[in-house]
Amino acid sequence: MVPDFVSLIIFLLALGGMIFVHELGHFIAARWAGIEVEEFGLGLPSYKIATLFKWQGTEFTIHALLLGGFIRPKGENDPNVPGGLASANPWKRLVVLFAGPLMNLLTAIVVFSFLIGSEGVPVRGSIKIDSVAANSPAEQANIQAGDILLSINGQSVTEVEPAIALIKENLDQPVEMVFDRSGEQVTLTATPLSTRKASEGALGVGLGYPTRPATFIESVSGGFTVTGIQAATIVYLPVALIRGAIAPEDARFIGFKGIFDMFNVAVKEDVSTRQEAATIPPDATTPAPRPTNWTLNLIGVLSISLGVMNLFPIPALDGGRILFTLPEILFRKRIPANWENTVNGIAMLLLIGLMLFVNVMDFVNPVQIPTP
């Protein structure tokens, strides 16, 4: 089993990488717009350990809180500073503000494109057992990874969701299932248990579809599609909450503790499936289970969340600063800088307080992590 500190290191590297990419987007856009950047720091703004080098007026530094990064544009909040961010053309400010979230979304596209390219394109029409959990009803019934599920209690199944529904309809009852195992039909009986956690699944199996190799175009277009759907889901979330389509407990905010818990589960599952696959001899008749990629999938989802949430019109975030920039473009009248700075300052304090509250709640009410 992977120790928690290994998961912690991967969590810090992944989260820091997402923050760094976000700030890199702002930096590239600022340089393109001719806006001076006084500092590009590795880590969160804290005690400066050292200056790595200087390049075209930008000091590249490393800070004590080595998580992610930040940039310090010249005149970030003062429009009276020439060559600074606040004094730049409003269109250029928009580009700089959009660039950070855009880099997170591009990261997600790359991640999901890679996953599709490595895992292949699902071929719908039959259901494949992707994984079998240890000490589960499925393992006790001798269900094996690679089996093709043909029917449940005599009812033919070809799609994952109806198969899951049938299993849930028969909790704590023996279920007869027919599988295709390497061309041979096998009939097995297992009992899905209501006492198992939702994250474990009543049977303890991962259901998916057989796959075929993906072309480069399919991988990239799939990366765009998955990212677009995930982003649209996040944007729609407040509407779904208002309409009651999603229960509040299913859309709760999570803090660093909750995100780490998700990484901990993902990393351990990825390592476990790779170790299991490595123990299967090359000449074995039973195919090795496919290693999972939960950690990469989680990085993609969190990159989308970081990008989209930063575009919400919330003061202190990129979206809030964009909102303050729009009147200057639409009405050629700028909101006074002192008003904007005051609102952003208050909002930042409120956001910090909210994050502290959310992190405390993660300890009081730990996140229930479903199986991907």
Side-chain angles (χ1 to χ4, degrees):
M1 183 62 68
V2 179
D4 286 356
F5 76 85
V6 175
S7 299
L8 178 62
I9 292 173
I10 295 174
F11 159 71
L12 292 175
L13 288 174
L15 185 62
M18 284 181 269
I19 298 172
F20 177 81
V21 165
H22 182 96
E23 296 301 324
L24 180 63
H26 288 314
F27 175 77
I28 293 173
R31 297 298 310 183
W32 168 85
I35 297 169
E36 296 181 40
V37 179
E38 296 177 339
E39 182 180 5
F40 192 134
L42 296 178
L44 296 177
S46 54
Y47 174 74
K48 183 170 70 173
I49 297 176
T51 296
L52 301 176
F53 60 91
K54 291 185 178 181
W55 178 74
Q56 295 190 1
T58 301
E59 183 182 17
F60 289 82
T61 62
I62 183 168
H63 284 241
L65 295 177
L66 197 57
L67 179 65
F70 70 94
I71 68 168
R72 186 160 51 86
K74 180 179 179 181
E76 182 175 6
N77 299 310
D78 188 354
N80 297 314
V81 176
L85 177 62
S87 63
N89 178 289
W91 288 105
K92 289 184 177 181
R93 299 205 306 273
L94 277 184
V95 171
V96 174
L97 292 169
F98 268 111
L102 180 61
M103 283 290 282
N104 292 127
L105 295 176
L106 289 176
T107 299
I109 291 171
V110 171
V111 168
F112 286 119
S113 296
F114 173 80
L115 287 174
I116 293 171
S118 60
E119 296 179 354
V121 177
V123 180
R124 304 178 78 93
S126 58
I127 301 172
K128 181 181 178 182
I129 305 298
D130 283 334
S131 61
V132 178
N135 303 316
S136 65
E139 184 184 60
Q140 295 169 5
N142 195 32
I143 298 173
Q144 299 177 7
D147 288 347
I148 302 298
L149 177 60
L150 302 177
S151 67
I152 299 175
N153 282 344
Q155 185 172 338
S156 176
V157 289
T158 58
E159 299 291 333
V160 170
E161 292 304 324
I164 292 175
L166 273 175
I167 292 171
K168 289 182 176 180
E169 288 173 6
N170 292 276
L171 292 177
D172 303 317
Q173 302 176 41
V175 176
E176 184 180 89
M177 292 172 284
V178 178
F179 298 91
D180 181 325
R181 180 176 295 171
S182 302
E184 178 185 356
Q185 283 201 4
V186 178
T187 301
L188 302 172
T189 301
T191 303
L193 301 177
S194 60
T195 54
R196 289 174 59 84
K197 297 178 182 179
S199 59
E200 298 174 332
L203 273 180
V205 294
L207 302 181
Y209 298 102
T211 60
R212 61 170 176 79
T215 65
F216 177 77
I217 297 298
E218 286 175 328
S219 299
V220 175
S221 62
F224 272 94
T225 301
V226 173
T227 301
I229 292 174
Q230 293 275 4
T233 301
I234 295 173
V235 172
Y236 177 70
L237 187 59
V239 179
L241 283 170
I242 293 173
R243 292 183 173 180
I246 298 177
E249 59 269 20
D250 294 332
R252 57 173 284 193
F253 286 105
I254 59 173
F256 294 119
K257 166 66 166 54
I259 297 174
F260 166 72
D261 289 342
M262 296 169 67
F263 265 96
N264 199 24
V265 170
V267 170
K268 290 181 177 180
E269 180 65 19
D270 287 349
V271 172
S272 175
T273 55
R274 279 159 176 76
Q275 290 175 338
E276 185 178 353
T279 61
I280 304 296
D283 57 348
T285 56
T286 302
R290 175 184 295 176
T292 59
N293 289 300
W294 290 9
T295 305
L296 267 180
N297 186 78
L298 182 57
I299 289 173
V301 171
L302 290 176
S303 294
I304 295 171
S305 299
L306 181 59
V308 173
M309 292 297 291
N310 261 283
L311 288 175
F312 279 5
I314 301 172
L317 300 183
D318 293 326
R321 293 178 180 272
I322 289 171
L323 191 64
F324 276 108
T325 305
L326 292 179
E328 189 175 353
I329 294 175
L330 298 175
F331 309 113
R332 300 186 183 278
K333 186 175 180 62
R334 182 167 187 166
I335 296 175
N338 59 331
W339 292 11
E340 180 179 352
N341 293 336
T342 299
V343 171
N344 285 331
I346 295 173
M348 180 60 70
L349 292 175
L350 293 175
L351 286 174
I352 292 173
L354 176 63
M355 283 303 300
L356 291 174
F357 172 77
V358 168
N359 279 282
V360 170
M361 291 304 299
D362 283 345
F363 284 96
V364 175
N365 183 23
V367 179
Q368 296 298 317
I369 304 169
T371 300

